[in-house]
Amino acid sequence: MAILEILEYPDGFLNKPVLPVTDINGDLQQKIDDMSQTMYHAPGVGLAACQVGINQCVLVYDVSPRDDKRELHVLINPRIVCQEGEVLSENEGCLSVPDYRSDVVRFSQIQVEAVDRDGKPLCFDAEGYLAIVLQHEIDHLQGILFIDRISVLKRNLYKKRVKKRLRQS
Ligand code: NI
């Protein structure tokens, strides 16, 4: 297993949709292991393949409390098939958008379809924090960052800050 480099905004790879997985092979299993290790190392509660430069529709997540046993989940080709309600995701952040947090409006309940790493079809409902994490990660796979879901004014302030930082480095 390897810890992969996490791409950061404004890397162009982060705003392009990834390709669907068509073959769950050994190469993909290796990538999933690397993604998991990278997520735990960061540490983060979720990681989408495009965040580590992998152009495949895969995400990993683990929202279990920190001291508990790890509960790794892998979703291949996930999609939200039902969504309802509204919740304010407070202080949302992202490993690919360092040093920035913002409130984001999310759906409060979603239904997700995907397959697991063994190719078994999954369909489940999620609400609360898990629903927020899954919306965030599935957004990544479509080339959407949480800063794309905040006001233009806030987003421009953040972009200015990044530009300034990049000029100074
Ligand atoms: Ni993220």
Side-chain angles (χ1 to χ4, degrees):
M1 285 204 277
I3 292 166
L4 308 170
E5 185 198 348
I6 296 175
L7 304 179
E8 294 179 359
Y9 173 87
D11 193 297
F13 204 77
L14 293 169
N15 55 29
K16 284 197 282 279
V18 293
L19 296 173
V21 171
T22 53
D23 184 16
I24 303 176
N25 53 25
D27 177 58
L28 184 69
Q29 300 291 350
Q30 179 64 52
K31 285 174 178 163
I32 289 169
D33 287 341
D34 292 344
M35 282 173 61
S36 311
Q37 204 188 14
T38 304
M39 175 184 75
Y40 286 122
H41 178 260
V45 291
L47 189 77
C50 47
Q51 292 183 272
V52 287
I54 297 171
N55 189 7
Q56 288 189 288
C57 195
V58 185
L59 65 85
V60 296
Y61 68 94
D62 184 345
V63 294
S64 59
R66 206 166 270 181
D67 296 331
D68 280 21
K69 222 176 95 206
R70 285 178 176 180
E71 259 182 70
L72 177 69
H73 296 272
V74 178
L75 299 184
I76 296 173
N77 297 339
R79 52 193 197 102
I80 294 171
V81 292
C82 262
Q83 50 197 29
E84 59 179 49
E86 207 179 273
V87 66
L88 189 67
S89 165
E90 290 179 49
N91 262 325
E92 196 166 311
C94 177
L95 296 172
S96 295
V97 185
D99 307 321
Y100 187 71
R101 288 187 168 268
S102 178
D103 293 352
V104 183
V105 178
R106 297 284 188 188
F107 293 104
S108 55
Q109 294 181 320
I110 57 171
Q111 187 172 62
V112 176
E113 280 183 8
V115 294
D116 69 11
R117 68 186 299 172
D118 301 315
K120 195 181 95 191
L122 304 172
C123 180
F124 60 95
D125 297 321
E127 58 179 21
Y129 185 55
L130 175 60
I132 290 169
V133 170
L134 290 172
Q135 286 170 82
H136 179 114
E137 300 308 331
I138 292 171
D139 266 357
H140 269 303
L141 296 172
Q142 292 165 349
I144 299 166
L145 296 173
F146 82 95
I147 51 171
D148 296 317
R149 296 204 181 275
I150 62 178
S151 74
V152 179
L153 183 72
K154 279 188 180 175
R155 183 162 61 244
N156 285 342
L157 282 173
Y158 175 70
K159 286 183 176 177
K160 260 191 200 164
R161 217 169 85 187
V162 172
K163 270 189 197 150
K164 197 173 160 197
R165 194 175 61 212
L166 291 175
R167 269 202 310 271
Q168 283 165 348
S169 63

